[in-house]
Amino acid sequence: SRRIVDGINHMKDLGSQGLARERVEKDKAMFGGRELSGKTLAVIGLGHIGASTAKDAAALGMDVVGYDPGLSVTSALKLPRSIQLADSIVSAVKQADYISINIPYIKGEGGTHGIIGKDVISNFKADAVLLNFARGELVDSEAMKVHLDECNGRYVSDFPDDLLWDHKNSLILPHLGAS
């Protein structure tokens, strides 16, 4: 939630002007964020990675809501007892401060291309943070851009996107998952 990259760049700029030591304490409030404890994480997809994400979030004191229409018994046994299961993606994201996508990309009719589209994004809280480390094609970039333009939400992903890569509310990281 913190604008860490902006903070790093700010400190580099101050350092080049010889002002870093003088301003580091004064300027830190410009890059404040929010604590995770007590916040709600929606986990979309509760397979191995989604279940691990839910478990770790619960350990951090987050409230966890999960959605997976194909939840297996094996994955269900790995979920934290406190998780609330939702009956749709929309109902999972409605009250979420953070949303984690953990589903495969499946092409074609009935697939997952653009599954996080306008109908889902329009139900995000204004300051929700979407974490997409699954596949870029799962998110409708145009709908996400509208949300980022109109609200104070964030998009964090490791898949470059022509519409979102340089948006002030996007943080695009290198895709290092299989490296």
Side-chain angles (χ1 to χ4, degrees):
S1 292
R2 297 179 190 268
R3 293 187 175 273
I4 293 172
V5 174
D6 293 342
I8 291 168
N9 291 334
H10 179 71
M11 289 309 299
K12 285 182 178 181
D13 288 344
L14 290 176
S16 70
Q17 300 169 41
L19 299 172
R21 189 177 302 261
E22 172 186 330
R23 299 261 305 272
V24 67
E25 287 299 316
K26 292 178 188 173
D27 291 1
K28 69 182 180 183
M30 295 168 49
F31 309 102
R34 50 191 180 187
E35 297 295 323
L36 293 177
S37 182
K39 297 296 187 269
T40 300
L41 172 69
V43 181
I44 309 304
L46 295 168
H48 177 71
I49 294 171
S52 293
T53 301
K55 182 180 172 186
D56 291 345
L60 290 170
M62 296 184 84
D63 299 318
V64 181
V65 177
Y67 172 74
D68 190 328
L71 181 62
S72 72
V73 172
T74 302
S75 291
L77 291 172
K78 295 177 184 175
L79 295 173
R81 290 180 184 256
S82 61
I83 192 170
Q84 176 186 350
L85 296 177
D87 61 0
S88 69
I89 295 176
V90 168
S91 64
V93 304
K94 276 188 174 185
Q95 298 304 316
D97 300 293
Y98 298 87
I99 302 151
S100 176
I101 307 172
N102 308 280
I103 57 177
Y105 176 64
I106 301 168
K107 292 181 182 180
E109 192 172 326
T112 56
H113 185 91
I115 196 164
I116 308 299
K118 182 179 179 181
D119 59 323
V120 173
I121 295 170
S122 66
N123 284 282
F124 284 8
K125 291 171 71 173
D127 61 348
V129 178
L130 177 62
L131 306 164
N132 179 12
F133 301 109
R135 286 290 175 260
E137 298 88 353
L138 296 170
V139 177
D140 177 336
S141 299
E142 291 181 12
M144 192 69 220
K145 184 177 183 315
V146 168
H147 178 73
L148 295 176
D149 287 345
E150 295 176 357
C151 300
N152 194 33
R154 305 280 188 275
Y155 179 64
V156 182
S157 182
D158 58 352
F159 293 94
D161 183 285
D162 290 341
L163 280 178
L164 301 172
W165 73 270
D166 67 342
H167 195 285
K168 69 180 178 111
N169 288 338
S170 287
L171 178 60
I172 308 299
L173 307 166
H175 180 68
L176 303 173
S179 297

